[in-house]
Amino acid sequence: MRDGLYLASLLTVGAVHCGLALPVLLGNLDTYHRPALHLASFALLSAVLVAETTQQLRRRRRSRPWVWTMVTATFAASLTATSQMPAESFGGAHWSFLEVGWFGVVLLLDRPRVLTWLFLACHLAATAAQLLLAGVPSRSAAAGTAVSVLAICTFQTAAALTVRLLSDRATRAGATLREQERLRTAAAVAAHIHADQRARYRDLDTTVLPLITGLADGSLDPREESVRRRCALEAARLRRLFAEHDYAADPLVHELRACIDVAERNGVSVHLAVRGDPVEVPRPVRQELTEPVIAALAAARRTARTTVVRGAGQVRVGVVIDRPEAQPARAAGQWVRTRAVSDGGRLWVESVYTVSGAGAGAGAGAGADDGTGTDDGTSAATTAQSSSSEISPS
């Protein structure tokens, strides 16, 4: 809309320049003191008009030096033409006064409104001063001049006000549209988060509600270790669900700390070690990475060591607990590989995620280090122990 207003203003100036000022100039060349200066002033204004039109068609932003250069050239052309104007012929032969105000309106279109009024006032004052210096006109010539000045300035002022008001409305309309788009985006994000939370809660209903119902009707005895382990596991899942929507620089570690807090409340001393820079991991992948770990933490008796290692195109989350007979649940395996090894009175569980875009060589090398292809239990245990001591704090 703003571009359309500026283009329409240029067309108006072009029509006044060629349709009004040019005929007056050519029809009164014999009355001017030096017609060549009038023709030079007209050529300068034509150059300003062509330059402004070119800038608009190329959609280039007009800098402040450019604008003031054009304003100076316009004012100089007006002063030159008026200086060669007889006082008595001002009303009908003064071609530059017909259009210079329009040039000021267009050139200062995107500037503060006061600059437009200042330009029109200075132009009118300079023209009046030059007219008086050329000689005091007769009463009839002065009356005609006053009528011409009133008509021309009224049109120019009205055009400047209209353009400014429409430009302000365009700015407000743009701000309103941006605000509406922001609100729609926020509403869509909120709806998506809400739907995702409802889906997560529905998934928890299949495990949490039966547990709560069993505790309420007495079918589950909280003194049994298996029941307490289920409670700890579901509490950790709930804490992870709450932590998923927190702002954190490292979401994976943040969610894992929330699960560790539940284990620590149950009397387990947990040591966490983090190595490597944070890697962007999707939320479903984070759930798969942490699910075997929180299941192992729920089964721990007194101590546990948890590690997060990121590097070589992989994200590894492991835990070592003091209960080798526990059998933690494995991840679904859509994105994460999980393995568990019992040896030396401890259980080691690790889940591995290969980051998308990592090199095939890195993935292959990591797979070889994982020991997933070993069939011998002793070899797997040895590999597990060496990897555990490598990534766990000792």
Side-chain angles (χ1 to χ4, degrees):
M1 184 177 179
R2 196 176 294 111
D3 292 341
L5 285 173
Y6 191 68
L7 185 58
S9 301
L10 284 175
L11 292 175
T12 301
V13 174
V16 172
H17 184 67
C18 298
L20 292 180
L22 182 59
V24 172
L25 171 63
L26 296 179
N28 295 275
L29 282 177
D30 55 342
T31 63
Y32 302 140
H33 297 313
R34 295 178 183 177
L37 289 179
H38 283 269
L39 293 176
S41 299
F42 187 86
L44 181 57
L45 292 176
S46 300
V48 171
L49 180 59
V50 171
E52 281 293 309
T53 304
T54 303
Q55 288 287 97
Q56 176 62 19
L57 293 179
R58 292 181 178 179
R59 296 185 179 276
R60 292 182 177 177
R61 181 176 178 82
R62 301 182 306 153
S63 63
R64 182 176 298 179
W66 170 274
V67 172
W68 289 116
T69 300
M70 296 296 103
V71 169
T72 302
T74 301
F75 210 87
S78 175
L79 293 178
T80 302
T82 305
S83 66
Q84 304 301 317
M85 186 73 61
E88 291 296 332
S89 61
F90 178 86
H94 199 341
W95 62 270
S96 64
F97 190 79
L98 292 173
E99 60 173 345
V100 170
W102 291 106
F103 275 85
V105 171
V106 173
L107 292 173
L108 300 173
L109 182 65
D110 53 352
R111 304 297 167 176
R113 191 179 309 175
V114 65
L115 294 179
T116 302
W117 309 142
L118 184 61
F119 178 87
L120 294 177
C122 290
H123 177 245
L124 180 59
T127 302
Q130 286 182 297
L131 177 63
L132 293 177
L133 290 175
V136 179
S138 62
R139 182 176 299 180
S140 60
T145 299
V147 172
S148 298
V149 169
L150 180 61
I152 294 171
C153 291
T154 299
F155 275 109
Q156 293 172 354
T157 303
L161 281 174
T162 302
V163 170
R164 176 57 60 182
L165 290 175
L166 290 177
S167 181
D168 292 344
R169 294 300 181 273
T171 302
R172 294 181 183 179
T176 302
L177 289 176
R178 288 191 294 271
E179 181 65 17
Q180 290 177 351
E181 184 65 24
R182 187 189 66 81
L183 293 176
R184 283 195 294 267
T185 302
V189 170
H192 178 76
I193 293 176
H194 180 68
D196 183 73
Q197 289 178 339
R198 294 291 297 272
R200 295 295 311 281
Y201 281 117
R202 283 195 299 269
D203 294 339
L204 289 175
D205 285 346
T206 60
T207 56
V208 176
L209 287 184
L211 179 61
I212 296 177
T213 302
L215 292 174
D217 60 18
S219 59
L220 296 177
D221 188 357
R223 292 172 295 181
E224 296 181 2
E225 184 177 356
S226 60
V227 176
R228 293 197 300 271
R229 179 182 174 186
R230 286 179 59 187
C231 291
L233 179 60
E234 298 305 328
R237 287 173 175 168
L238 286 173
R239 290 292 299 274
R240 182 183 62 185
L241 175 62
F242 299 150
E244 284 178 356
H245 300 287
D246 294 341
Y247 174 79
D250 194 339
L252 176 61
V253 175
H254 178 68
E255 295 169 15
L256 190 59
R257 288 184 186 277
C259 302
I260 290 175
D261 183 67
V262 176
E264 290 177 337
R265 290 175 182 270
N266 292 329
V268 179
S269 176
V270 184
H271 184 82
L272 172 64
V274 180
R275 295 185 181 180
D277 297 328
V279 177
E280 184 176 355
V281 180
R283 186 172 57 192
V285 177
R286 298 200 303 268
Q287 295 171 7
E288 285 194 11
L289 281 171
T290 55
E291 185 66 27
V293 175
I294 63 176
L297 289 174
R301 288 193 182 97
R302 295 183 179 276
T303 61
R305 291 183 302 173
T306 307
T307 57
V308 178
V309 179
R310 289 162 295 204
Q314 289 188 335
V315 178
R316 297 169 177 264
V317 181
V319 62
V320 178
I321 62 174
D322 56 352
R323 191 174 182 180
E325 70 276 8
Q327 294 296 327
R330 293 174 177 265
Q334 184 177 359
W335 296 287
V336 174
R337 302 192 313 273
T338 305
R339 58 177 177 166
V341 178
S342 298
D343 185 71
R346 292 180 179 275
L347 173 66
W348 175 68
V349 180
E350 183 186 53
S351 53
V352 181
Y353 166 65
T354 301
V355 181
S356 299
D369 292 340
D370 288 345
T372 53
T374 58
D375 295 328
D376 182 65
T378 305
S379 176
T382 303
T383 305
Q385 286 179 346
S386 63
S387 178
S388 174
S389 62
E390 187 178 319
I391 65 175
S392 301
S394 58

